[in-house]
């Protein structure tokens, strides 16, 4: 790498296959991030084997480029025994970094694989300086910031922390804060936190007589901001797109490379040329995302389809595997297309196998705009679907693997198994896995100060109250007597915007100094609010997304006596988890009405009025204090599942009434009655209770 290049942030490019990997390096990327065929947050991309990685790393290093491995999926209790083998292999292969979301992987790396360099994924929700500092102490050498931050907020974070900072500069945007979206999992069991998001925010919704893609974000481009962002203390500019084609990666990387390398007197010219390049990379409409802060606009355009790529045509009819298409733009044989159903659902991409003339059925290599043409594809298409071009013809993967083999004939050796799996929990502070001798504990959580009196009068052993600004200020005036303080805990909100950080730090300090010892944390930044020497009782809320014993140990090591398990967890996972040594007492939520989307955006929807998908799945929207929450039409209840939970050894239960689009003063009484009877009497969802955890396509035991 040249000396001038070293003075600028690293340009970090995505690769979902070998062709994209070569395209990224040849186009000027300083580093490439890629996923394996398991446990990464783009599980639907082709991805790489460990044998590929054994050659990719030395190939990149010989060209002064780095390789980051995305291991940023949540790990379930069922997958946990296999993760040790994968970490052992990565430790031997020595990539430049491993991108991580699951706290269990941090715990294992610190204990057993200290040579691995860890980067905190954007899915860990670092949206303020406190989050960055806490993740750095957890063991992250670099933190990828949330995409929902303005330029001023990014600048202020870089000024108040010494940790390495990485930001996204190009690619898709999510409606929800990263790490806080439950919608895909709730509607179909495909968790976005496990890389299997089915993009429910991209659907066309209806509210009354209005229809639109109300939650679908346009794509993000920080091209115009690169000169200003270069002046900040940022370690890397990251391009999103592991599902994108090689020609897309090449165009986008070259565009940003040219602007990053341009001298100050040529920035305007370089940006103009780069925009032309981006025009050749099919995408949604480009916006400047959240960089403009309060003035951010154009992120949501409800009249536009949520599908990525260039809209090239519509499917008219399908006859004997011949698809008649009405073209808006030209296409070629071999082009990669993605379809969008009439109800707005994106389908998997496919390649055009052949083009046939409408008049003669003769083969053709290309067809132009305004033509009607027959095409053949490997997958079934349906009349009414829209076609979006997302890339050109894919190269033969065998060819690229041969290029890699010729360049690196001797791959790095690596072990495929961890030698001592039974000893992994030896260093954990543990509680009994089946703590059946413990008295059963019931926790109740409410969201408004007005509900606190009834909660304190209930038989709950502990009462939690959301630490919103109104609640903090009301309780500061009212106070609690010592006996009440022992039962009471503040629950910190998962999103504390940078402008509110100082307020919350001072509020926490004020209450701690007055004897409020119990706190539930819901973001890594919350750990930065407390001093290690204080004798406090900390608990981890469900937003830490804990689903495996190492993650429980990680929260226990951070001082959390209790940890609320992920709301996405399955019954089978809980049963397996409780057989393991546990570093924190697991809490199971048996009633909640959680936000499926939590966003900084304000869609053009009426609050409190249902809006529905084409399948008539209802949602409700609320907006408060700059945060938009979208809910399902019914709560989650496991009240009818108390018997098996108790038989497996669960002894700590949570009734969470702190969220939801509708609240009734009698909710607490009704749900407590259901808890006593082991029954729920209202329409409810059991979320993922009966769902089988998603199996990865390739076993970690078979890596070839």
């Amino acid at each position: 790498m040249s000396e001038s290049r070293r003075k600028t942030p690293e340009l970090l490019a995505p690769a979902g296959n070998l062709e994209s990997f070569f395209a990224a390096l040849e186009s000027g990327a300083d580093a490439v991030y890629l996923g394996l065929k398991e446990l990464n947050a783009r599980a639907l991309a082709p991805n790489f084997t460990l044998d590929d990685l054994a050659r990719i790393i030395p190939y990149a290093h010989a060209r002064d480029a780095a390789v980051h491995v995305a291991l940023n999926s949540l790990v379930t209790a069922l997958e946990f025994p296999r993760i040790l083998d994968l970490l052992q292999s990565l430790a031997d292969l020595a990539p430049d970094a491993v991108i991580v979301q699951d706290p269990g992987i941090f715990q294992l790396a610190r204990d057993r694989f200290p040579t691995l360099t860890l980067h905190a994924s954007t899915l860990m929700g670092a949206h303020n300086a406190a989050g960055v500092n806490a993740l750095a102490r957890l063991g992250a050498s670099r933190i990828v910031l949330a995409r929902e931050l303005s330029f001023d907020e990014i600048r202020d974070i870089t000024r108040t922390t010494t940790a390495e900072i990485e930001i996204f500069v190009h690619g898709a945007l999510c409606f929800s804060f990263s790490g806080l979206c439950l919608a895909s999992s709730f509607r179909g069991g495909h968790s976005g936190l496990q890389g299997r998001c089915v993009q429910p925010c991209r659907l066309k919704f209806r509210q009354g007589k209005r229809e639109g893609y109300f939650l679908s974000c346009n794509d993000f481009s920080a091209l115009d901001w690169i000169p200003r962002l270069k002046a900040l203390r940022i370690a890397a500019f990251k391009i999103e797109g592991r599902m994108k084609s090689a020609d897309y990666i090449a165009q986008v990387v070259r565009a940003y490379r040219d602007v990053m390398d341009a001298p100050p007197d040529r920035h305007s010219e370089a940006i103009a040329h780069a925009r032309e390049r981006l025009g050749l990379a099919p995408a949604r409409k480009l916006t400047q995302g959240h960089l403009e802060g309060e003035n951010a606009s154009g992120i949501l355009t409800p009249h536009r389809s949520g599908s990525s790529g260039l809209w090239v045509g519509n499917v008219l009819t399908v006859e004997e595997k011949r698809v008649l298409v009405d073209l808006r733009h030209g296409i070629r044989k071999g082009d990669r297309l993605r379809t969008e159903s009439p109800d707005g659902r994106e389908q998997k991409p496919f390649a055009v196998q052949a083009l046939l003339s409408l008049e003669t059925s003769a083969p053709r290599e290309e067809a132009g705009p305004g033509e009607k043409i027959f095409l053949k594809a490997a997958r079934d298409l349906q009349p009414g679907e829209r076609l979006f071009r997302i890339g050109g013809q894919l190269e033969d993967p065998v060819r690229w693997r041969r290029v890699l083999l010729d360049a690196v004939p001797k791959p790095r050796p690596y072990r495929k198994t961890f030698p001592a799996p039974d000893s992994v929990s030896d260093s954990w502070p543990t509680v009994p896995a089946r703590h059946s001798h413990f008295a059963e504990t019931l926790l109740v959580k409410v969201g408004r100060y007005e509900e606190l009196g009834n909660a304190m009068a209930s038989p709950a052993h502990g009462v939690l109250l959301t630490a919103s600004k109104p609640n903090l200020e009301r309780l500061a005036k009212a106070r609690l007597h010592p006996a009440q303080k022992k039962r009471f805990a503040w629950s910190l909100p998962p999103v504390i915007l940078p402008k509110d950080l100082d307020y919350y730090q001072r509020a926490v300090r004020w209450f701690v100094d007055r004897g409020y010892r119990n706190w539930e944390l819901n973001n890594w930044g919350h750990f930065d609010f407390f001093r290690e020497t204080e004798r406090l009782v900390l608990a981890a809320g469900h937003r830490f997304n804990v689903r495996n014993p190492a993650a429980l140990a990680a929260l226990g090591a951070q001082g959390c006596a209790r940890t609320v398990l992920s709301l996405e967890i399955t019954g089978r996972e809980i049963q397996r988890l409780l057989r393991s040594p546990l570093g924190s007492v697991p809490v199971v939520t048996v009633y909640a009405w959680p936000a499926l989307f939590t966003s900084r955006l304000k869609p053009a929807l009426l609050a409190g009025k249902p809006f529905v998908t084409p399948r008539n799945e209802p949602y409700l929207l609320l907006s408060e204090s700059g945060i938009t929450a979208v809910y399902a039409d019914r709560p989650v209840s496991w009240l009818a599942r108390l018997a098996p939970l108790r038989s497996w050894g669960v002894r700590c239960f949570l009734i969470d009434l702190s969220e939801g689009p509708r609240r009734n003063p009698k909710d607490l009484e009704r749900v407590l009655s259901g808890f006593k009877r082991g029954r729920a009497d209202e329409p409810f969802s059991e979320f993922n209770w009966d769902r089988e955890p998603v199996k990865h396509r390739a076993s970690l035991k078979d890596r070839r």
Side-chain angles (χ1 to χ4, degrees), residues 28 66 68 78 195 215 218 261 283 329 372 397 450 510 582 636 645:
H68 302 182
L78 303 173
L215 308 184
N218 293 314
D261 290 349
H329 293 276
K372 290 183 173 65
E450 293 80 6
W510 191 93
L582 304 177
V636 175
L645 288 168

Side-chain angles (χ1 to χ4, degrees), residues 187-198:
R187 288 302 186 191
H190 302 285
S191 171
L193 301 177
Q194 293 183 291
R196 304 199 173 260
C197 181
V198 296

Side-chain angles (χ1 to χ4, degrees), residues 180 222 465 584:
L180 297 183
L465 176 64
S584 178

Side-chain angles (χ1 to χ4, degrees), residues 257-278:
R257 179 80 277 155
D258 290 347
V259 174
M260 290 173 65
D261 290 349
D265 61 346
R266 290 192 59 248
H267 278 156
S268 296
E269 179 186 348
I271 289 171
H273 287 307
R275 284 197 194 118
E276 293 178 8
R277 280 193 177 276
L278 292 184

Side-chain angles (χ1 to χ4, degrees), residues 490-620:
W490 280 116
S491 176
L492 293 167
V495 176
I496 296 177
L497 298 174
K499 66 182 177 65
D500 296 324
L501 183 58
D502 181 64
Y503 174 92
Y504 271 94
Q505 289 173 326
R506 288 187 289 107
V508 167
R509 184 58 32 214
W510 191 93
F511 279 98
V512 167
D513 290 345
R514 284 156 182 79
Y516 289 79
R517 320 306 293 172
N518 304 314
W519 296 84
E520 182 187 73
L521 286 54
N522 285 286
N523 180 274
W524 289 101
H526 297 164
F527 286 104
D528 205 49
F529 294 1
F530 304 96
R531 299 166 186 155
E532 292 183 5
T533 56
E534 291 174 325
R535 298 182 63 185
L536 302 175
V537 180
L538 303 182
H542 75 85
R543 290 301 189 178
F544 287 98
N545 301 311
V546 167
R547 296 174 71 168
N548 67 72
L552 275 173
L555 271 304
Q558 296 297 311
C560 293
R562 291 195 299 255
T563 296
V564 183
L565 300 180
S566 168
L567 295 186
E568 293 188 333
I569 202 166
T570 67
R572 185 180 168 205
E573 286 177 57
I574 294 174
Q575 188 176 16
R576 177 65 182 84
L577 181 66
L578 290 170
R579 298 175 190 161
S580 308
L582 304 177
S584 178
V585 174
V587 180
V588 173
T589 304
V590 292
Y591 183 94
W593 204 332
L596 302 185
F597 299 102
T598 303
S599 180
R600 202 171 183 177
L601 299 170
K602 295 180 180 179
L605 291 163
L606 296 176
K609 182 177 180 180
F611 62 102
V612 298
T613 70
R615 296 182 180 179
N616 287 319
E617 299 163 326
Y619 291 90
L620 292 158

Side-chain angles (χ1 to χ4, degrees), residues 106-126:
F106 275 97
Q107 178 73 22
L108 293 172
R110 283 199 312 269
D111 285 356
R112 299 290 176 165
F113 308 99
T115 60
L116 288 174
T117 298
L118 302 179
H119 290 179
S121 168
T122 189
L123 293 167
M124 297 192 83

